[in-house]
Amino acid sequence: MSSSPLCIGLSLAATWLSASGWRRPDSRVEQLHGAPFYRDVARRAEQACLDFVFRPDALFLDVPALARGPGFSSLDPTLLMAALARDTRHIGLVTTAATSFNPPYVVARQLQSLDWISEGRAGWNIVTALDGSRNFGDAPMPPSAQRYRKALEFTEVVRALWRSYPQEAVLADRESGQYADVTRIAPIAHRGEYFSVQGPLNVPGRAHGRIPLFQAGASDWGRDFAARVADAVFAATPDIECGVALRRDLRQRALDHGREPAAIRVLPGLSLYLAASRAQARDLHRAAHADQDRARQRLYVGRALGLDLERLDPDQPITVRMLGQPGPDMRSPTHVQLLRRLVEREQPCLRELLARPEAAASAHWTVVGTVDDAVAEIQRRAEAGAADGFIALPGGAMQSLDLLLDGVMPRLAAMGLARRAYAGTTFASNLGLAGSCCEPGRAVP
């Protein structure tokens, strides 16, 4: 079989340590806050020719959850990617920077610096953040629509700053004594609803530079934002139907905003529990979730559906008419929508619902099985038009990561579904992206 390679990334959130995975003797959890741990993973991902490694981020600490696992306690993602740039040569390095709390000038400078340090391999995962406002003042988190309006202006400011000091302005003419052509460097003089930024940026752009833009979130506001600016969307699509619908919707929105539909790629999270046999994979998945806080899960699902789950018979079907209003402070509207859409589509009983991936915190596409099972599922999604690639989230143990890199990736490459070698010298060129550093480009066929 031959097909266009998928865009494949690997999360550096160490998902194989989540749930009870960190308790395994080979988990390396003690190394979680040191560079060597991530350096080894990034080097192996590059050897397997993945398109990028990606570090999600949160600007708060969920202290109750920390009692049972490391959660989102992590190194700063941009500093981590800068450290990994020294030890890799080809793989893309996607960091996360929130638009709700950071100044755009600082983010523009950090990303431009990372692009120089990595020689053109930086990527930006644009998030509005779901929590953490109390670490940046006393104001509560604004509603989704306001967060995305701010994110759009933030992104426009960052692009303008990248454009404000082009590398072509740097002459470094020793003979004449002229370092730069200052007529080509200009302030952006931005005055908007949320930001006032004079500019120019104090780090020049790389010649013909292009920093790919990623976005996570599938709410209506998030989709519209992605359709305007993103090259790829990280999405929770637990089944093929969700993936097809999201991909079709994003492509239409991109077209409505004057972009090529193929310019935006849907990259669902793929949670992988892999072993030599299906029985062993099921045992791995079961062991990883043995200590899951069931009471916390039930409370979350109940608030998302507007239901008191304690009053329900575990075998009673849940229907649309039973649903109430979601809790007012739910962190992820996207996840709430996934849960409610599941009820609308299938009317599961409570026992069935709590066993589904949508009832977990991430609601990601999940494969529990062998390398063959994973390859078959990836091929099925790609052929159904439900994904343009995926973000690998190995689970349960390091063996899931090992089997992904040493088993799944070579099989996908042999089928034409993954790259055999890097095509260019920059992240954008490896992704086949055209366009300047200040505009979303299009996928080159």
Side-chain angles (χ1 to χ4, degrees):
M1 170 185 175
S2 178
S3 181
S4 297
L6 298 171
C7 181
I8 301 174
L10 171 67
S11 173
L12 289 182
T15 47
W16 53 93
L17 303 182
S18 61
S20 299
W22 66 273
R23 299 178 62 184
R24 296 174 61 94
D26 59 348
S27 72
R28 298 176 64 186
V29 68
E30 295 83 3
Q31 303 172 36
L32 188 59
H33 297 103
F37 179 86
Y38 300 100
R39 182 184 304 126
D40 291 345
V41 174
R43 282 173 169 169
R44 292 186 61 198
E46 185 171 74
Q47 289 169 0
C49 285
L50 271 71
D51 290 276
F52 62 93
V53 288
F54 153 62
R55 174 66 225 192
D57 193 34
L59 293 170
F60 67 96
L61 186 64
D62 188 341
V63 176
L66 205 63
R68 291 178 172 269
F72 267 89
S73 170
S74 68
L75 300 172
D76 178 277
T78 306
L79 290 177
L80 175 60
M81 293 301 172
L84 297 182
R86 182 184 60 183
D87 298 296
T88 56
R89 292 291 177 268
H90 306 287
I91 197 164
L93 304 170
V94 180
T95 185
T96 298
T99 59
S100 294
F101 310 126
N102 292 300
Y105 192 97
V106 172
V107 171
R109 188 182 189 218
Q110 288 175 336
L111 285 160
Q112 197 86 290
S113 298
L114 178 60
D115 208 43
W116 275 105
I117 292 168
S118 65
E119 297 183 319
R121 293 185 288 126
W124 178 20
N125 176 38
I126 308 169
V127 298
T128 64
L130 298 176
D131 205 339
S133 59
R134 286 172 293 180
N135 293 323
F136 298 90
D138 297 324
M141 287 293 294
S144 181
Q146 184 177 338
R147 294 203 307 272
Y148 277 109
R149 283 201 308 271
K150 185 176 183 180
L152 185 59
E153 184 181 340
F154 189 109
T155 306
E156 290 171 351
V157 171
V158 168
R159 286 187 188 146
L161 287 168
W162 286 341
R163 185 171 60 241
S164 67
Y165 183 5
Q167 186 184 2
E168 291 80 3
V170 179
L171 305 177
D173 190 331
R174 289 179 172 84
E175 186 173 341
S176 69
Q178 184 178 10
Y179 178 74
D181 179 357
V182 296
T183 64
R184 305 184 69 173
I185 304 170
I188 67 171
H190 176 87
R191 300 292 180 270
E193 182 181 0
Y194 298 100
F195 302 106
S196 295
V197 181
Q198 181 66 16
L201 195 64
N202 62 353
V203 179
R206 299 179 71 254
H208 312 296
R210 172 80 162 85
I211 297 178
L213 303 182
F214 295 73
Q215 186 264 350
S219 67
D220 189 63
W221 282 98
R223 293 183 188 200
D224 192 69
F225 174 78
R228 291 172 182 268
V229 307
D231 297 303
V233 173
F234 300 154
T237 59
D239 55 50
I240 284 180
E241 183 180 54
C242 284
V244 169
L246 176 62
R247 187 169 179 263
R248 182 183 299 123
D249 181 57
L250 285 169
R251 286 182 161 221
Q252 181 59 53
R253 289 176 188 247
L255 185 63
D256 293 343
H257 288 297
R259 300 178 63 195
E260 292 286 339
I264 187 167
R265 305 178 187 193
V266 174
L267 308 179
L270 173 52
S271 184
L272 293 162
Y273 291 83
L274 301 178
S277 70
R278 291 177 180 174
Q280 291 172 338
R282 287 193 293 269
D283 288 343
L284 176 65
H285 185 268
R286 190 180 302 112
H289 293 85
D291 294 337
Q292 187 173 5
D293 191 335
R294 303 296 177 183
R296 190 173 183 178
Q297 179 195 28
R298 291 169 70 93
L299 178 62
Y300 176 87
V301 172
R303 291 179 63 245
L305 298 179
L307 287 175
D308 183 355
L309 300 187
E310 301 304 321
R311 295 178 178 271
L312 291 182
D313 183 321
D315 296 311
Q316 175 186 358
I318 301 173
T319 66
V320 175
R321 290 185 177 183
M322 297 168 63
L323 302 183
Q325 291 297 314
D329 56 347
M330 299 298 293
R331 286 178 179 169
S332 174
T334 300
H335 194 201
V336 170
Q337 289 176 11
L338 286 170
L339 283 166
R340 297 175 79 89
R341 187 159 57 239
L342 170 62
V343 170
E344 292 170 4
R345 188 174 64 247
E346 300 182 22
Q347 293 82 52
C349 69
L350 179 58
R351 193 188 313 278
E352 293 168 337
L353 175 63
L354 294 177
R356 291 288 294 264
E358 291 92 331
S362 63
H364 287 300
W365 167 23
T366 302
V367 173
V368 180
T370 64
V371 166
D372 288 344
D373 293 327
V375 170
E377 284 296 308
I378 292 166
Q379 180 182 359
R380 195 159 69 95
R381 285 245 180 169
E383 291 179 345
D388 300 295
F390 58 89
I391 309 294
L393 311 168
M398 288 287 290
Q399 74 182 44
S400 294
L401 175 67
D402 295 339
L403 289 171
L404 165 69
L405 298 178
D406 301 333
V408 174
M409 290 304 299
R411 288 277 304 279
L412 293 177
M415 298 165 66
L417 288 174
R419 66 172 68 253
R420 293 176 178 271
Y422 293 98
T425 59
T426 68
F427 186 22
S429 61
N430 282 322
L431 293 183
L433 298 178
S436 68
C437 66
C438 55
E439 295 178 350
R442 59 180 178 84
V444 176

